[in-house]
Amino acid sequence: MKYAEHLFGLADYFGVGKEKETAISEISRILNCSERHVKSILRHLRNEGYIDWKIRIGRGNKPTITVRVSKGELLLNQAKQKVRKESYQEAFQTVSKLDSLEKKTFHHWFMDHLGLSQQEALGEEIDILRYPFYETDLSMDPLHMLSRHDSHLIQQIFDRLVEFDPDSGTLLPGLAQHWENKDGKRWIFYLQKGAFFHHGRELTSGDVKATFERFSKIDAFMNNILSIETYGKTIIQFHLKEADYLFPRYTASMRASVIPIEIIEEGEEQFKRRPIGSGPYQLTRHDQDMIRLEAFPHYFGRRPWLDRIDIIKTPVELVGNTSHPLLLDAPDDSWREIRVKEEGANFIVFNCHRRGPLLDSRIRETIATMINPEDFCQEAYVNEVASSFLTSRKNNHAPSAPVMAFHGPVKIAAQQIREGVNHEREALILKSQLAKAGIEASVSIVHAKQFTEPETFQTYDLFVGGLALGEDPLLSLIAVLQSKMLPLHSCLSEEMKDIVGSYILLLKETEDEEKRWSIYFKIEEYLLSEHALLFLTHRSHYAYEPMNSPYENIRLDSNGRVDYRKIWKRIDL
């Protein structure tokens, strides 16, 4: 607002709502400006309704001034104006100057600004979803994603050869309209015609090849590929070393989202923040205030109903941990609770590879018997002890008495995804439990990127981490067992790696899904029996939605996210 600081000065000097005698010369002194400029300021503030300024006739009669708004009211109004102009960080900085009651007023007003609504743009009604989200260092490059937040946006911006339907457990056409195989070793994909990237270039089989060639040669997925061949713009063929009937499902993973290689070559770091894909939504804004996704008008597939999504970067202390267009607290009894268990688990991995006492399975068993997973449940979203990566699976590994004396010391690594997002809480609980059993321990926070460095596994004895499984849980679990970005694989002894690897090979060679799961559970049971792995807890996501909402398919997935592509609005006729 124009002259805001001058109004603050007048309010501080004269008070609010009190008529006071004054003079132009006195106000000039208060505001430290010329009398001519004072007249302009008073005229503007009076016209805006912020003050009353009365000239009284007669010798000795001074003008009177009445300040009509408080500093807090003005700041609150300024914050609202900045929100309307989408200058959100400036608005939140203004809100930080308010008292607790005024902040609460802004909070209620701001929540009304959020959610699903219609707005006129360029002469037509568009449907918009706005919601707040705390700032994260997002990486929207599919190959370098680290968190569920990254994966969620990548799902909207990019396409993959095929799509995995978690409801039916089947594959659906994506960029590929058809695929076939020869003995599980030669896989051929036939691409849809007319798929374009957001910058206007047509997507071809060359882009698919370039996408997979970006993967590291030591990546477990790429390690089984002998060669990739393209035939024209629409056919791509993969030759594998070993038969793998899960191969098409790998191409449905978020990491396998197809990218325009020339944009990557122009600047990989820039691409992480301003990605270009071929998906139903294109990124049109990513700055300090928000992330904006808009429906891609030339999308080859089914156009999403929502025209725009505004993800507003909001301080956690202002609106809590809201991360979707639902509320985490019910405003009244007309809202119903939604609770979704997250597939995946927090866990402890024992370093069976590092030279030291944990090479002895009896020491690992001794430590395992001292750990009580129930102590790790004391958090809002963690309330269930885990015995598997799957919430429905129950393993029977009851704790026994310690098998031999051990006093440490041990070094604990707490997994960190990004600043402030880590498993330090769980690591400190573990340290406390070990201390009660007479085992000395220390805790360090270790970034996930350090799991690719061999020296990490030469330093730490125990790794405390966690993971959320993707839409295809079986593929996620295979990745857990083979990934260098997670601690499990690198902590296994060579013998353990060979045994787990043989199970995985057997799993890939079968086409029966029930048999695949049976083989996978044998892997879990083996790692638990060797005390290489100990499950701690499962997470749950809670939210509330109105019982009579006209919006359909606003459903939380197991990671607490909403797939924007599936939302639509019902109209009563």
Side-chain angles (χ1 to χ4, degrees):
M1 170 205 141
K2 191 176 181 181
Y3 301 136
E5 291 303 320
H6 295 95
L7 181 60
F8 293 160
L10 294 174
D12 288 341
Y13 190 84
F14 293 109
V16 177
K18 301 174 183 178
E19 187 176 25
K20 296 290 184 71
E21 286 190 344
T22 186
I24 294 292
S25 58
E26 183 180 21
I27 295 176
S28 175
R29 178 180 58 80
I30 295 167
L31 301 182
N32 193 28
C33 56
S34 68
E35 293 187 9
R36 181 178 179 180
H37 188 43
V38 164
K39 293 177 182 178
S40 297
I41 295 170
L42 295 177
R43 189 181 307 115
H44 175 81
L45 295 179
R46 182 180 59 188
N47 292 340
E48 292 295 316
Y50 293 126
I51 65 168
D52 285 339
W53 175 256
K54 296 179 181 178
I55 305 294
R56 298 195 296 172
I57 306 300
R59 181 176 294 180
N61 290 330
K62 290 184 176 182
T64 62
I65 188 172
T66 307
V67 179
R68 289 298 181 189
V69 295
S70 68
K71 184 176 180 178
E73 290 171 324
L74 182 61
L75 286 172
L76 183 60
N77 192 41
Q78 282 184 315
K80 292 178 180 179
Q81 290 296 333
K82 289 171 181 175
V83 165
R84 294 186 184 102
K85 293 178 180 179
E86 297 180 348
S87 298
Y88 292 105
Q89 296 313 308
E90 290 184 11
F92 300 143
Q93 289 172 8
T94 302
V95 170
S96 68
K97 302 174 185 177
L98 299 175
D99 63 30
S100 58
L101 184 60
E102 291 161 343
K103 285 179 179 176
K104 189 173 182 179
T105 300
F106 176 83
H107 169 85
H108 289 304
W109 176 88
F110 184 58
M111 293 305 290
D112 288 338
H113 172 78
L114 304 174
L116 288 149
S117 63
Q118 286 190 326
Q119 178 177 310
E120 187 170 320
L122 301 177
E124 62 179 88
E125 292 286 339
I126 64 172
D127 292 285
I128 301 173
L129 167 62
R130 295 187 185 91
Y131 68 93
F133 199 83
Y134 55 87
E135 172 66 293
T136 60
D137 183 21
L138 288 170
S139 174
M140 288 180 277
D141 181 341
L143 191 61
H144 299 294
M145 67 181 188
L146 286 175
S147 71
R148 73 194 77 186
H149 313 306
D150 301 335
S151 176
H152 182 226
L153 289 178
I154 286 167
Q155 181 187 47
Q156 316 297 319
I157 297 170
F158 295 89
D159 279 315
R160 290 143 291 280
L161 285 175
V162 297
E163 295 287 331
F164 182 81
D165 181 4
D167 293 328
S168 65
T170 60
L171 290 176
L172 304 174
L175 289 170
Q177 61 183 354
H178 179 72
W179 56 96
E180 59 193 27
N181 82 92
K182 306 291 184 182
D183 302 323
K185 289 186 177 182
R186 185 156 60 100
W187 289 89
I188 305 170
F189 294 83
Y190 300 87
L191 304 186
Q192 307 265 10
K193 286 186 176 181
F196 287 85
F197 288 113
H198 300 151
H199 66 321
R201 181 172 69 73
E202 187 177 10
L203 184 152
T204 70
S205 58
D207 295 303
V208 179
K209 181 178 180 181
T211 294
F212 289 101
E213 287 179 341
R214 286 185 73 210
F215 281 67
S216 166
K217 298 302 180 185
I218 63 172
D219 187 284
F221 171 62
M222 283 299 294
N223 196 40
N224 192 31
I225 297 178
L226 275 175
S227 64
I228 305 174
E229 299 170 356
T230 61
Y231 301 91
K233 290 184 176 181
T234 60
I235 301 175
I236 185 163
Q237 181 173 242
F238 297 85
H239 289 272
L240 308 184
K241 299 174 186 175
E242 305 286 347
D244 186 355
Y245 289 99
L246 286 172
F247 184 79
R249 286 163 67 169
Y250 288 107
T251 70
S253 71
M254 295 302 146
R255 293 180 70 225
S257 299
V258 179
I259 52 93
I261 191 63
E262 76 276 11
I263 303 298
I264 294 284
E265 291 171 346
E266 289 175 6
E268 192 171 67
E269 288 303 312
Q270 175 67 10
F271 190 79
K272 292 179 181 180
R273 288 187 56 82
R274 304 288 299 193
I276 291 175
S278 63
Y281 286 102
Q282 58 184 330
L283 183 76
T284 59
R285 181 175 173 183
H286 186 192
D287 54 30
Q288 64 175 2
D289 291 307
M290 69 159 68
I291 295 170
R292 172 169 287 165
L293 303 178
E294 296 188 63
F296 180 37
H298 307 295
Y299 185 53
F300 79 95
R302 186 176 67 181
R303 186 196 190 281
W305 181 84
L306 278 179
D307 299 290
R308 196 175 90 197
I309 298 104
D310 289 348
I311 306 168
I312 301 166
K313 298 180 181 179
T314 310
V316 173
E317 61 270 17
L318 183 60
V319 291
N321 291 315
T322 302
S323 57
H324 38 68
L326 310 174
L327 296 180
L328 299 182
D329 297 297
D332 53 56
D333 293 339
S334 67
W335 291 62
R336 64 170 174 263
E337 180 184 273
I338 299 173
R339 176 175 180 247
V340 179
K341 290 184 180 181
E342 179 179 273
E343 294 300 331
N346 293 330
F347 54 81
I348 297 171
V349 173
F350 295 74
N351 195 342
C352 308
H353 187 75
R354 178 182 182 236
R355 187 183 300 276
L358 266 67
L359 288 180
D360 189 331
S361 63
R362 296 173 299 170
I363 297 293
R364 300 196 299 270
E365 183 177 4
T366 294
I367 295 175
T369 61
M370 298 172 179
I371 299 170
N372 180 11
E374 291 185 358
D375 290 349
F376 295 81
C377 290
Q378 308 305 314
E379 193 180 38
Y381 300 107
V382 180
N383 60 359
E384 184 177 336
V385 171
S387 56
S388 168
F389 282 118
L390 298 182
T391 58
S392 60
R393 177 75 174 173
K394 303 301 178 186
N395 286 306
N396 297 316
H397 284 272
S400 57
V403 296
M404 62 187 302
F406 178 69
H407 300 289
V410 295
K411 294 184 177 180
I412 303 170
Q415 176 189 358
Q416 174 167 290
I417 299 298
R418 54 173 57 94
E419 187 69 31
V421 181
N422 56 51
H423 289 269
E424 183 180 21
R425 184 190 78 93
E426 291 84 357
L428 292 174
I429 293 173
L430 173 59
K431 177 183 177 181
S432 175
Q433 288 188 351
L434 295 179
K436 291 177 182 178
I439 299 177
E440 180 186 346
S442 60
V443 171
S444 300
I445 296 175
V446 178
H447 194 279
K449 292 179 180 178
Q450 293 176 255
F451 292 157
T452 61
E453 301 169 1
E455 53 267 31
T456 300
F457 299 95
Q458 297 168 9
T459 304
Y460 299 100
D461 302 288
L462 300 171
F463 291 80
V464 183
L467 62 95
L469 303 182
E471 288 188 324
D472 188 337
L474 183 59
L475 265 291
S476 294
L477 290 166
I478 293 174
V480 169
L481 296 168
Q482 296 179 317
S483 175
K484 299 292 195 302
M485 294 294 289
L486 291 166
L488 182 55
H489 177 79
S490 296
C491 282
L492 298 181
S493 68
E494 294 305 318
E495 181 183 2
M496 291 176 182
K497 289 177 183 177
D498 288 341
I499 292 173
V500 170
S502 65
Y503 277 127
I504 292 175
L505 186 60
L506 187 62
L507 186 153
K508 292 177 178 179
E509 289 175 346
T510 181
E511 298 183 69
D512 186 283
E513 189 73 358
E514 188 174 337
K515 288 182 179 178
R516 288 170 178 160
W517 278 111
S518 177
I519 294 167
Y520 168 73
F521 290 133
K522 288 180 181 178
I523 297 175
E524 269 194 6
E525 290 165 3
Y526 168 69
L527 295 175
L528 289 169
S529 68
E530 289 292 323
H531 305 289
L533 174 66
L534 178 67
F535 295 108
L536 295 177
T537 55
H538 293 301
R539 289 169 54 95
S540 291
H541 298 279
Y542 295 87
Y544 294 86
E545 68 173 0
M547 297 182 70
N548 300 313
S549 172
Y551 297 100
E552 301 289 339
N553 274 345
I554 301 184
R555 296 189 302 161
L556 296 184
D557 62 20
S558 67
N559 290 325
R561 300 291 174 266
V562 175
D563 189 346
Y564 311 134
R565 302 172 301 174
K566 298 179 180 179
I567 296 173
W568 60 283
K569 185 178 181 181
R570 184 186 298 277
I571 299 176
D572 293 330
L573 299 177

